[in-house]
Amino acid sequence: MRIVLLGAPGSGKGTQAALLKDHFEIPHISTGDLLRQAVADATPLGMKAKAIMDRGELVPDDVMLNLIEERLSSADVKPGFILDGYPRNLAQAEALEALLGKLGQPIEEAVMIEVSEDRVVERIAKRAAEEGRSDDTEDVVRNRMRVYEEQTAPVAGFYEDQGLLTRVLGEGSIEEVSARIRGALNTDGSD
Ligand code: AMP
C-alpha cells in the first residue's frame, strides 16, 4: 500500500501516519522528521535546511527530491510506505509521480485530513509546549499556514484529478480519526 497523507500543519498527519505504520507494517516517511534529523546531525543538508525551516518556508524542490529518492530506494519500502509532508507543492507531486513511475510503484491512495483552523491553532500550541519545535512559534506557524494554503493545498487537486483522493474529517479522538482513515483506505477489516 503506497499512501500520501495530506493536511495542514497541525492536522494530525504525523500522529495518524504513525498509527497507519503500525497497522499496515510499512514505513512512515516524514520529510520533516528526515530534515530535523539532518539538522540534529549537522549534515550539509541539515545546515542548509535549518534556516529555511525556522522561517517556515519550503526547502528547495531539488534538495527534497534527492532526499526522498534516496529514502524510497531503500529495501524496506518494497511492501509500501506512508508519505507525510511530501509532496508539498505541485512540482514535488509531479517529480514524485515521475520517480515512482520509473520504479513501477505509483501512489495508490491520497488521504486529506481536514480540520478547522481553530483546531489547528490549538494543536500546534499544544505541540509547541510538549516538543519545543523551533518552527512552532506564532509567527512561523502563521507563515507555514500561508505556505500551506498557497503551495500545498493544490496538491489535493492533483490527486483528485487522478481519482486517488479521499477527504477525511480530522476532528474527534485520535482513534476516531484513525478509524475513518482506515475506512477510507477500504482495509478496515474487523478491528
Ligand atoms: P513538517 O514536519 O512536515 O511540518 O516539516 C517541517 C518543515 O520542514 C517545513 O516547514 C519545511 O520547512 C520543511 N519541509 C518538510 N517537508 C518538506 C517538503 N516536502 N518540501 C519542502 N520543505 C519541507
Side-chain angles (χ1 to χ4, degrees), residues 5 14 19 48 50 77 82 90 100 114 134 161 163 171 187:
L5 267 192
L19 291 176
K48 183 167 178 182
K50 182 167 181 2
V77 305
I82 303 141
L90 287 176
L100 293 177
E114 297 189 309
S134 60
D161 289 348
E171 313 261 345
T187 51

Side-chain angles (χ1 to χ4, degrees), residues 30-69:
S30 158
T31 45
D33 284 350
L34 291 174
L35 290 170
R36 280 183 287 277
Q37 189 61 52
V39 171
D41 294 344
T43 66
L45 166 66
M47 316 262 241
K48 183 167 178 182
K50 182 167 181 2
I52 300 171
M53 294 170 77
D54 281 347
R55 290 196 303 271
E57 306 283 344
L58 295 185
V59 174
D61 291 343
D62 58 334
V63 174
M64 294 310 298
L65 185 59
N66 280 337
L67 184 69
I68 204 79
E69 186 163 12

Side-chain angles (χ1 to χ4, degrees), residues 13 18 25 33 37 42 62 79 84 99 107 112 138 143 149 153-154 160 162 170 179 189-190:
K13 244 182 321 123
E25 298 183 332
D33 284 350
Q37 189 61 52
D62 58 334
D84 159 16
L99 171 64
I107 293 298
M112 166 72 133
E138 195 180 330
N143 199 30
E149 288 303 331
E160 192 157 40
Q162 299 182 11
S190 56

Side-chain angles (χ1 to χ4, degrees), residues 59-106:
V59 174
D61 291 343
D62 58 334
V63 174
M64 294 310 298
L65 185 59
N66 280 337
L67 184 69
I68 204 79
E69 186 163 12
E70 191 186 324
R71 183 63 188 88
L72 289 176
S73 58
S74 307
D76 67 334
V77 305
K78 285 254 156 51
F81 50 82
I82 303 141
L83 278 185
D84 159 16
Y86 193 96
R88 208 93 160 196
N89 58 28
L90 287 176
Q92 292 185 5
E94 281 159 11
L96 178 68
E97 186 177 38
L99 171 64
L100 293 177
K102 208 167 62 185
L103 299 172
Q105 299 190 320

